[in-house]
Amino acid sequence: MGIIDVHTHYVPRSWPALPGQDAPWLRVESASDAMIMMGTREFRRVQANCWDASLRLADMDADGVDAQVVSPTPAFFSYGLPSGEAAEVARIFNDLALEIVAPAPDRLIPFCQVPLQDPDEACRELERCVAGGHRGVEIGNHVGDLDLDSEGVVTFLQHAASLDVPVFVHPWDMASTPRNDRWMAQWLTGMPAETHLSVLALILGGVFDRIDSSLRICFAHGGGSFAFWLGRTENAWHQRHDVIGTSEFPPSHYLGRFYVDSVVFDERALRLLVETVGVDRVVVGSDYPYPLGERPVGSVVTKSAFLDDAQRSLISRDNALRFLG
């Protein structure tokens, strides 16, 4: 009984021209190497394991992974486009995703993307994708200045819950400044902070008070910095209730309403994560196939001495089965 990896990404081998001034396209440089372009700007170099199921499956076999969730690359979300154009982008990538996973439908689990800036279009695309074979949806952690507690996003999350569709939240579109454009600081500090803020939006924004508890939602990258600073948030809820007392209960009450992945790379961080959110709320994620991901998949779970066999099984597989439904 191998690992289930809930956090991986794909990039298609090619796609039609997309709307927008800086629309993404793929500059193919060899049979196994390409560059994602944003208009004229180089964004990220990728290899064939982004689109070739045989390479992906070989890596899964090498790492003892039985199945993996295959989600969009967040750079393609297109939340800044008009809703009709973003819906077109979503349809293109969602249909291509089904082609990528088609060689192994029992092992590659497709998650779709939606035009989240338009709740009605997002709900329609989710319904279309679920009918076509997608098993869940990946969303970005914000839409412009709107966080996950905005009315439109809450409407979408309620619809996902009603359809019994799991939601995976991934940070994206981190601010570019002279201070965080060095050392990949957008990824090293911006992504954890963005994810932390999104967890707080569901808690302090009162979303968990309003939305059905059947919603299955998971946050990438261990929930960002949330676990480390839960005590600070709890203290603020009690000491400055006049400012942040927007949820019915203190923040710790909502532990158990969401999952986080395990891709924190360090046993000490994983221990804190497990002790904070609960061993039944952590699932293996790798961020495959990108360089900042974890290989072999699930290494920190496999090597962490504080976990017993039952706990390791929960994180490696059983919790993911529950999240995926």
Side-chain angles (χ1 to χ4, degrees):
M1 302 292 284
I3 294 168
I4 298 177
D5 183 354
V6 305
H7 180 182
T8 83
H9 300 287
Y10 74 89
V11 176
R13 179 66 171 77
S14 64
W15 57 84
L18 302 176
Q21 182 177 0
D22 294 318
W25 58 282
L26 199 65
R27 189 180 74 201
V28 177
E29 299 181 347
S30 73
S32 60
D33 196 67
M35 176 67 71
I36 299 175
M37 303 292 295
M38 296 295 181
T40 60
R41 176 174 60 89
E42 293 184 348
F43 174 71
R44 176 180 294 164
R45 184 167 299 281
V46 294
Q47 282 73 44
N49 52 6
C50 280
W51 59 78
D52 188 327
S54 65
L55 297 177
R56 186 177 288 262
L57 291 166
D59 285 343
M60 291 167 62
D61 290 341
D63 290 2
V65 175
D66 274 357
Q68 64 173 209
V69 171
V70 183
S71 291
T73 294
F76 303 146
F77 283 154
S78 304
Y79 292 163
L81 292 178
S83 63
E85 294 181 359
E88 177 186 352
V89 172
R91 285 192 294 271
I92 288 170
F93 281 105
N94 291 335
D95 291 348
L96 290 171
L98 293 180
E99 295 180 12
I100 291 172
V101 304
D106 56 332
R107 300 186 66 188
L108 303 178
I109 304 168
F111 271 34
C112 64
Q113 68 183 66
V114 295
L116 199 58
Q117 64 268 55
D118 185 326
D120 292 336
E121 285 281 6
C123 290
R124 280 193 288 269
E125 180 62 10
L126 181 63
E127 291 176 358
R128 186 189 78 89
C129 287
V130 170
H134 284 269
R135 301 274 296 280
V137 59
E138 180 188 60
I139 63 172
N141 69 303
H142 67 104
V143 180
D145 290 330
L146 300 178
D147 218 319
L148 299 188
D149 59 332
S150 66
E151 288 303 316
V153 176
V154 172
T155 295
F156 175 77
L157 293 176
Q158 289 171 327
H159 193 59
S162 72
L163 296 176
D164 199 29
V165 173
V167 179
F168 187 70
V169 181
H170 198 288
W172 82 297
D173 193 32
M174 291 78 66
S176 175
T177 72
R179 293 176 60 237
N180 67 16
D181 285 348
R182 303 183 297 167
W183 317 313
M184 295 192 73
Q186 289 186 35
W187 281 261
L188 300 180
T189 66
M191 277 193 165
E194 285 285 341
T195 308
H196 182 177
L197 181 59
S198 298
V199 178
L200 292 186
L202 294 187
I203 294 173
L204 299 179
V207 178
F208 284 137
D209 294 326
R210 292 183 285 148
I211 206 163
D212 194 276
S213 60
S214 64
L215 174 69
R216 302 195 306 280
I217 190 166
C218 180
F219 290 87
H221 307 136
S225 48
F226 172 80
F228 192 84
W229 289 114
L230 174 59
R232 182 176 177 86
T233 308
E234 190 89 353
N235 179 68
W237 192 90
H238 289 287
Q239 299 303 323
R240 290 305 312 269
H241 197 270
D242 57 318
V243 178
I244 72 167
T246 52
S247 58
E248 185 176 353
F249 301 100
S252 60
H253 174 83
Y254 302 94
L255 300 174
R257 289 295 302 272
F258 59 93
Y259 295 85
V260 297
D261 75 16
S262 65
V263 63
V264 294
F265 304 100
D266 187 283
E267 179 174 350
R268 294 162 296 184
L270 183 64
R271 180 192 288 272
L272 175 63
L273 196 60
V274 167
E275 291 178 350
T276 302
V277 304
V279 70
D280 62 334
R281 290 287 157 172
V282 182
V283 294
V284 166
S286 70
D287 214 355
Y288 176 94
Y290 293 132
L292 293 187
E294 182 186 62
R295 292 292 308 275
V297 173
S299 295
V300 69
V301 175
T302 302
K303 295 177 180 178
S304 289
F306 75 92
L307 295 171
D308 60 31
D309 288 343
Q311 292 171 323
R312 196 169 285 109
S313 178
L314 280 173
I315 296 172
S316 297
R317 186 179 184 90
D318 300 344
N319 294 339
L321 290 173
R322 191 168 65 253
F323 167 65
L324 294 171

